[in-house]
Amino acid sequence: MSLQLAPVRCDDKRDEQHHKSAWFQFIKSVATFKGDLTSLTAPPFLLAPQSIVEYSTYWAEHPSLLVSPAKEKSAERRALKVLQWFLSTLKHQHASKDENGKRKKMKPLNPFLGEIFLGKWQDNAGTTHLVTEQVSHHPPATAFKIWNDTHGVKLEGHVAPKAYFSSTINIERKGYSILHIDKYNEDYCITMPKVHVEGLVTFQIAPELSGVSYIRSSSGYTSRINYSSKGWVKGKSNSFTATLYADQNESDPLYVLEGQWNDSYIIKDGKGKVLDTVDLASLQRTPLHVAPIESQHPLESRRAWQYVVDAINANDVFAVGHEKSKIENAQRALRKQEKDAGETWSRRYFTRAERDPVAEKLSVSKAGAAEGQDTMIWKFDDEKYKRTIEYQQSGLKSPTHSRFDSGIGIIEIETVG
């Protein structure tokens, strides 16, 4: 006789109290942990039904805004368009609630080494492509490329988050992105703000941006964005002030944008005259097209995590832990296999670089390295991408190392005849 395990679901008041108790135990362990918090395992009820590799989609939710600078003749106005596009990427990436007003689970799944996410947007801007790959696991780093051939715009970058506890949970996102516009042979180096978590005590968890980020162009314009949150007496949550100025002339801004990155903001010229008001909530997001799970490569995120995501959506905490452990154990076995064979994982679309001359040139720091740059630089490898596409079209298996399918385990060694 077999024993059937009933799903352990979380949908009543007792579970809510249990969650709060588990949450405070988790926070207690976080507060005493000395290393990078990204290595800690979060309670299952905190897990979001998506992997961090999907976060690169936020860069191009509005393809028309991404490509709009390519249509602008003035370098000054292009810099403004780039700043406005960047601000449009923040709302849904950091929102604590979804479009229906339901509170989101805030802890995304930690990607495994080699995890990929592929998709495309199709609208009046043409086709915009996305390739994302988890290029490092310890420390974690995600690399991505987004491009639109119709308008000659491409965005390439890598993010290496590091989380630590100091009064609250803080996340630094090292790395940077380079936006390139073919028509003007123009580059923009973009860094990301820090994130901290508010509402730890009240269990109303919400991310808040802080610090400063920059967008610097090869045409001689820089945007500095300062982020602030609600204080004890005044101020509003999710606030920012951005100044766009010609290099070497920061004290005389050309434009000032201020408001809330999750709501609306105003644009003023350097003399303080209001030029426009932008309602971010009214922006329509273009749907991302992703291949059906059954057609995806085993390394693609939604296929690999499908059973974990199903369990998260069903509020089945037992199944979440069970399915998640399958993937984690398979990865440990694969790493051991590689170590014993004296091999390292071959990245599918990206290659590590020693330096990035574009980022060094556009750095806002005096040290010569891009602000927020970490010690690992990952660049999209066009030859790898073309070779992978050719293999797919000819029906050959792709040239990668061992792979696993949905946490079941290592299933085969891929070879190219």
Side-chain angles (χ1 to χ4, degrees):
M1 183 178 70
S2 62
L3 179 64
Q4 298 295 322
L5 296 177
V8 181
R9 303 189 186 283
C10 313
D11 50 11
D12 56 28
K13 291 292 183 181
R14 287 178 301 175
D15 290 317
E16 184 178 346
Q17 291 300 319
H18 174 72
H19 286 178
K20 287 185 178 181
S21 176
W23 167 249
F24 287 120
Q25 288 296 322
F26 176 64
I27 291 302
K28 186 182 296 185
S29 66
V30 164
T32 57
F33 190 75
K34 300 300 182 183
D36 183 358
L37 296 181
T38 57
S39 63
L40 282 182
T41 300
F45 65 86
L46 287 177
L47 295 176
Q50 67 175 169
S51 167
I52 288 177
V53 297
E54 291 200 35
Y55 273 52
S56 54
T57 63
Y58 294 115
W59 288 108
E61 290 184 311
H62 312 105
S64 59
L65 295 181
L66 172 66
V67 304
S68 63
K71 305 174 186 178
E72 180 60 59
K73 295 181 179 180
S74 164
E76 177 185 314
R77 294 288 297 178
R78 286 198 300 276
L80 177 60
K81 293 277 189 181
V82 170
L83 174 57
Q84 289 188 261
W85 155 74
F86 173 79
L87 294 173
S88 76
T89 70
L90 301 176
K91 175 179 169 64
H92 293 288
Q93 181 176 176
H94 303 99
S96 59
K97 296 181 180 180
D98 61 22
E99 293 173 319
N100 299 317
K102 183 179 179 181
R103 187 165 291 277
K104 294 164 59 177
K105 294 181 179 181
M106 301 308 297
K107 176 63 177 71
L109 298 166
N110 286 335
F112 54 83
L113 179 61
E115 182 176 337
I116 56 177
F117 186 72
L118 313 174
K120 60 184 177 182
W121 298 265
Q122 293 177 310
D123 58 9
N124 57 11
T127 301
T128 304
H129 302 270
L130 165 69
V131 172
T132 306
E133 181 175 2
Q134 189 70 10
V135 291
S136 177
H137 188 63
H138 294 298
T142 308
F144 66 90
K145 182 179 180 180
I146 296 170
W147 71 97
N148 182 300
D149 290 328
T150 302
H151 297 275
V153 174
K154 58 185 176 184
L155 176 72
E156 183 180 337
H158 62 280
V159 181
K162 182 177 182 180
Y164 62 93
F165 189 88
S166 178
S167 299
T168 187
I169 296 175
N170 299 271
I171 304 171
E172 291 185 3
R173 290 176 286 187
K174 293 186 178 298
Y176 57 90
S177 303
I178 301 292
L179 177 70
H180 181 81
I181 303 175
D182 289 345
K183 184 176 181 179
Y184 301 101
N185 192 26
E186 187 174 61
D187 295 300
Y188 293 80
C189 185
I190 304 163
T191 62
M192 291 295 290
K194 296 179 181 179
V195 182
H196 66 269
V197 178
E198 298 192 342
L200 294 185
V201 176
T202 62
F203 200 50
Q204 299 297 308
I205 310 165
E208 181 62 277
L209 304 184
S210 59
V212 182
S213 69
Y214 292 90
I215 305 174
R216 189 176 187 191
S217 79
S218 58
S219 296
Y221 296 93
T222 297
S223 292
R224 173 189 171 107
I225 307 107
N226 292 77
Y227 305 86
S228 59
S229 56
K230 185 177 181 179
W232 289 103
V233 179
K234 61 180 181 178
K236 294 182 178 181
S237 299
N238 313 139
S239 296
F240 76 90
T241 299
T243 56
L244 193 161
Y245 53 89
D247 291 350
Q248 313 304 325
N249 199 13
E250 185 175 358
S251 61
D252 187 19
L254 301 168
Y255 300 97
V256 176
L257 288 67
E258 55 187 4
Q260 293 175 281
W261 48 260
N262 68 330
D263 188 9
S264 64
Y265 63 88
I266 59 173
I267 304 175
K268 298 185 290 186
D269 64 16
K271 297 180 180 179
K273 180 183 177 181
V274 176
L275 303 176
D276 196 7
T277 298
V278 177
D279 180 9
L280 293 168
S282 67
L283 295 177
Q284 295 297 311
R285 302 159 74 188
T286 298
L288 176 70
H289 296 280
V290 179
I293 285 179
E294 61 272 15
S295 301
Q296 292 182 14
H297 187 280
L299 291 174
E300 288 194 60
S301 183
R302 292 186 183 179
R303 178 172 174 178
W305 292 103
Q306 61 179 312
Y307 301 121
V308 176
V309 169
D310 288 346
I312 291 173
N313 290 332
N315 288 322
D316 188 343
V317 295
F318 176 81
V320 170
H322 181 66
E323 295 295 340
K324 189 165 173 285
S325 293
K326 285 184 181 181
I327 295 177
E328 293 167 345
N329 291 336
Q331 280 291 290
R332 293 188 188 100
L334 185 53
R335 298 287 85 79
K336 183 179 185 302
Q337 184 185 76
E338 290 170 349
K339 183 178 180 181
D340 292 345
E343 299 176 345
T344 58
W345 180 265
S346 179
R347 278 63 175 181
R348 191 178 183 85
Y349 298 113
F350 294 83
T351 297
R352 188 170 176 177
E354 292 297 323
R355 55 191 297 262
D356 186 343
V358 174
E360 292 172 6
K361 182 179 179 180
L362 298 180
S363 168
V364 295
S365 68
K366 295 180 180 179
E371 188 75 13
Q373 181 173 319
D374 58 315
T375 55
M376 289 195 297
I377 300 172
W378 294 93
K379 303 297 291 182
F380 187 76
D381 193 319
D382 290 299
E383 288 303 315
K384 283 184 178 180
Y385 179 74
K386 292 176 182 177
R387 194 161 63 244
T388 300
I389 296 298
E390 289 172 358
Y391 288 141
Q392 291 173 345
Q393 292 175 343
S394 62
L396 294 175
K397 294 177 180 179
S398 53
T400 63
H401 282 215
S402 308
R403 71 186 192 190
F404 69 94
D405 189 7
S406 303
I408 295 172
I410 302 169
I411 60 172
E412 66 175 304
I413 302 293
E414 293 188 324
T415 59
V416 178

